[in-house]
Amino acid sequence: ELRKDLTIPYVSAPLTAQAAYANFLTASGVPRAALDVVSAKEAAQDADAFDARARALAATDQWEEMLTLAESGGNVPEALRELTRAEAAARLGRTGVVEKSVPQAVRAAAREGSLRLALDRADTMGEGAQADATLVELCGDAGQADYLFAVARERFGRRGQFASLQSAYDKARQASPGGAAVEDYRRYTGLLAGQPVDPAETAAALAANPVDLDHRMTHAFALLQAGRPEEAWSVFDDFTVFYDELRPGHQAVMSSIVAAKGDPDLAVRAARTIDINRLTPGEYLLIGRLRTDAQ
């Protein structure tokens, strides 16, 4: 009934609206109808339309047609085209194409500002390892090293991929030694190693990057190590964080702050939820005793 009422107005709508309608049809179980809404010619003119047609082709197992769509070029971002090519090629067993397209897609996404989306899609395709290797390599690009390292730190730190994180840091430190993300990681790892870090230094870094969670957490950590747990806790007064969404290392820092400021029961409960397999030895030391208390 909806198709009958909506098809006529949508076929003459702007491409973005047509793409939304095509996605609705695909999600509703009628992807072949979606292919009638967005043609291959239209898909070459708009990223949303391209993606909508690709989704419909995938839903109907038309992998050769999807590969042809990806290779048709047009006014579509390179990262989206390469990821679509990789997905179709993977389904067709063309591993050589996949091995070429995934790294190209990650490099293009870094230029186009869609890196996190590209990494997520590579993961969905089962090509996360290739994407990771390319991300590490890109951290050596002086023009983007600091931004790319920040992405790598979040990705690898959340997953416990510490060898990849170290490789990314080594490359970024050489390419952008004074970068904000690079310097913050230097301070953070120094604190984990028991080295003194002046809270005034971390406060200045946070003032320059007030919305960055890494800088905020490092400043709180520095205050904690300086014996000022109440001030460490107050770092988050005007900044909302959701504990369950923090990566494990940050959860460890937060748990240790909660314990030090005088709420050990809450700290024990929080520490119990941490995936310790995704902590560095230094991060585990922050909550090791809390975990023991939990038992």
Side-chain angles (χ1 to χ4, degrees):
E1 290 300 320
L2 281 170
R3 284 175 59 193
K4 194 182 301 181
D5 294 338
L6 295 175
T7 296
I8 292 176
Y10 267 101
V11 293
S12 57
L15 278 179
T16 299
Q18 289 185 44
Y21 179 49
N23 284 330
F24 161 73
L25 292 172
T26 298
S28 300
V30 283
R32 293 190 182 280
L35 294 171
D36 294 333
V37 174
V38 178
S39 68
K41 182 178 179 180
E42 289 170 326
Q45 301 172 33
D46 178 84
D48 290 334
F50 178 95
D51 191 48
R53 185 168 178 84
R55 287 171 186 262
L57 289 169
T60 53
D61 295 328
Q62 298 186 62
W63 305 112
E64 287 285 2
E65 290 80 357
M66 188 173 169
L67 188 61
T68 299
L69 175 70
E71 293 174 345
S72 64
N75 187 31
V76 177
E78 182 183 355
L80 178 57
R81 284 190 286 107
E82 291 296 342
L83 286 166
T84 302
R85 176 186 283 117
E87 182 178 355
R91 292 288 188 159
L92 294 166
R94 300 177 189 176
T95 57
V97 176
V98 178
E99 291 171 357
K100 180 179 179 182
S101 288
V102 170
Q104 285 184 345
V106 173
R107 293 187 190 100
R111 295 192 302 271
E112 296 165 356
S114 57
L115 182 57
R116 287 180 173 85
L117 291 174
L119 292 171
D120 288 345
R121 188 159 173 186
D123 289 340
T124 300
M125 286 190 287
E127 298 297 332
Q130 276 205 78
D132 289 345
T134 305
L135 177 57
V136 170
E137 172 196 319
L138 287 171
C139 285
D141 179 350
Q144 303 183 85
D146 200 57
Y147 158 68
L148 292 169
F149 174 68
V151 174
R153 181 181 178 186
E154 169 62 21
R155 179 175 174 84
F156 298 144
R158 185 172 291 279
R159 296 168 173 227
Q161 296 174 235
F162 298 118
S164 295
L165 177 55
Q166 186 61 47
S167 295
Y169 175 62
D170 290 342
K171 287 183 177 295
R173 184 179 55 184
Q174 292 180 15
S176 180
V182 170
E183 283 291 277
D184 180 75
Y185 188 68
R186 176 187 62 79
R187 297 184 197 99
Y188 179 80
T189 53
L191 287 164
L192 287 175
Q195 300 168 5
V197 175
D198 187 350
E201 181 183 350
T202 55
L206 176 58
N209 302 273
V211 299
D212 185 84
L213 178 58
D214 285 338
H215 283 82
R216 191 167 295 271
M217 195 66 70
T218 300
H219 180 46
F221 193 6
L223 288 167
L224 173 68
Q225 296 295 69
R228 297 151 62 181
E230 292 292 343
E231 290 179 63
W233 183 250
S234 71
V235 168
F236 302 97
D237 281 353
D238 299 317
F239 190 89
T240 301
V241 295
F242 296 95
Y243 181 82
D244 290 346
E245 296 177 7
L246 295 174
R247 62 178 180 261
H250 281 173
Q251 289 179 331
V253 173
M254 189 67 81
S255 295
S256 63
I257 291 172
V258 171
K261 80 177 186 67
D263 199 343
D265 290 340
L266 176 59
V268 166
R269 291 197 301 273
R272 188 184 298 153
T273 68
I274 299 174
D275 183 350
I276 60 173
N277 294 316
R278 300 186 181 190
L279 297 177
T280 66
E283 289 167 341
Y284 180 76
L285 283 175
L286 293 175
I287 52 98
R289 183 170 180 178
L290 295 174
R291 298 275 299 193
T292 302
D293 292 345
Q295 296 170 0

